[in-house]
Amino acid sequence: MNNQILYYSHGVEGPVGLVNRRSYLGGVQAVHLSATHAVVLTDDRLLVHPIAAGSHNRQQGADSDDLNTDLHLPKGRDHAHDPVTCAALSKHFVITGSTSGNLCYYMIQDKDLAIVNEYRHAGGSITHLFPQPVGPRLVLADSRMQTALYSPINDELTLLPQFEGCLQQVLWDVEDINLFIATNNNNDMFVYLFTHHSVSGQKLELLSRTTLGKGHAAVVSAAGRLTVRLNSGALDNKVLESHRPLYDQDSSGKHLQKE
């Protein structure tokens, strides 16, 4: 049974090494990590716990059996009637989607993981969640293959214009929090921009559509500059078609200044 996870530090703030080893009662279906917490989907429920083992456990070889800080979502027996199908983790929230389309935001800073927002999605079972790393919005996909941008601020759900296929990945830009890339099962990339204020109010617009090479995967986007992992495992950098005029204009300006 696939029911054990080994957690390692990556060496940024300390030496690389095993910090925790956890065994779970059911098979692990998905894992989401923040700097401090792990969110593990197992047997249609979520287990939320700190990544690092207690000091006593670390001295005993990083095995953690201390369940005092473990929290289960949904709480009580609700999972038996409405199983969790997917989950996501952002800086402030643990977010769950369920078979009935129930979307819940839990405040991760609260020791009891209090619910701060709940929404019932009418499009069927929620299959994927991709939240903004530091914002409240997220992109969701459902069992009817609909893909939409959701805002808990006003419970507004906006279908991604001209998106086709089955959603595989959403990559939020690390510098522009309202820019994101949605990739489908054909490796087509759809670049979207959400605008808070315009003459027509809030809007979500498709900026460009391109196709990545077979086996290639988008890794990170920063102000329209995309890092891609190639088949060989090497990394390559490219500018999104939607942002190319901006960088071309910037390059032309620098060239004129040099002359």
Side-chain angles (χ1 to χ4, degrees), residues 167-219:
L167 182 67
Q168 297 295 308
Q169 179 192 30
V170 171
L171 201 62
W172 290 89
D173 194 277
V174 296
E175 294 190 22
D176 185 347
I177 64 170
N178 294 310
L179 180 75
F180 64 90
I181 303 167
T183 306
N184 67 10
N185 51 316
N186 294 319
N187 233 13
D188 298 323
M189 294 194 314
F190 300 77
V191 182
Y192 293 96
L193 178 68
F194 175 77
T195 304
H196 292 272
H197 305 288
S198 71
V199 292
S200 56
Q202 293 185 353
K203 65 178 181 178
L204 177 65
E205 56 184 326
L206 175 66
L207 299 183
S208 66
R209 173 180 176 174
T210 56
T211 301
L212 283 177
K214 186 177 181 180
H216 295 183
V219 177

Side-chain angles (χ1 to χ4, degrees), residues 13-256:
E13 298 180 354
V16 176
L18 180 67
V19 295
N20 201 352
R21 182 190 295 113
R22 285 292 303 259
S23 295
Y24 303 90
L25 295 179
V28 174
Q29 298 166 262
V31 183
H32 304 275
L33 301 177
S34 71
T36 57
H37 285 77
V39 174
V40 182
L41 180 59
T42 173
D43 289 345
D44 300 325
R45 291 191 75 184
L46 277 188
L47 178 63
V48 183
H49 64 80
I51 293 175
S55 58
H56 172 74
N57 290 323
R58 283 198 296 269
Q59 294 171 5
Q60 301 300 318
D63 283 291
S64 176
D65 295 317
D66 184 3
L67 305 180
N68 294 332
T69 56
D70 290 1
L71 292 171
H72 290 87
L73 299 175
K75 300 173 183 178
R77 298 181 179 274
D78 293 344
H79 70 286
H81 307 288
D82 191 18
V84 173
T85 52
C86 58
L89 183 61
S90 68
K91 182 177 181 180
H92 302 293
F93 306 109
V94 177
I95 309 167
T96 63
S98 73
T99 301
S100 68
N102 201 34
L103 181 65
C104 291
Y105 280 68
Y106 300 86
M107 181 64 71
I108 197 168
Q109 286 88 354
D110 182 81
K111 64 181 180 63
D112 296 319
L113 292 179
I115 295 179
V116 293
N117 189 75
E118 192 168 6
Y119 173 77
R120 180 56 62 92
H121 175 55
S125 175
I126 299 174
T127 57
H128 295 86
L129 296 172
F130 297 96
Q132 289 177 302
V134 294
R137 293 178 177 82
L138 59 77
V139 174
L140 67 81
D142 62 32
S143 56
R144 299 180 184 177
M145 293 185 64
Q146 296 183 112
T147 305
L149 178 69
Y150 170 72
S151 172
I153 298 171
N154 55 7
D155 277 346
E156 185 173 358
L157 192 74
T158 307
L159 293 177
L160 271 55
Q162 301 179 51
F163 184 81
E164 301 173 356
C166 182
L167 182 67
Q168 297 295 308
Q169 179 192 30
V170 171
L171 201 62
W172 290 89
D173 194 277
V174 296
E175 294 190 22
D176 185 347
I177 64 170
N178 294 310
L179 180 75
F180 64 90
I181 303 167
T183 306
N184 67 10
N185 51 316
N186 294 319
N187 233 13
D188 298 323
M189 294 194 314
F190 300 77
V191 182
Y192 293 96
L193 178 68
F194 175 77
T195 304
H196 292 272
H197 305 288
S198 71
V199 292
S200 56
Q202 293 185 353
K203 65 178 181 178
L204 177 65
E205 56 184 326
L206 175 66
L207 299 183
S208 66
R209 173 180 176 174
T210 56
T211 301
L212 283 177
K214 186 177 181 180
H216 295 183
V219 177
V220 64
S221 174
R225 291 185 180 273
L226 184 67
T227 299
V228 178
R229 179 181 57 77
L230 307 179
N231 271 330
S232 63
L235 298 178
D236 190 22
N237 297 307
K238 60 182 296 184
V239 176
L240 296 172
E241 290 298 323
S242 56
H243 289 65
R244 191 173 297 280
L246 298 176
Y247 287 105
D248 287 347
Q249 182 180 17
D250 184 57
S251 298
S252 300
K254 290 180 179 178
H255 179 68
L256 290 173

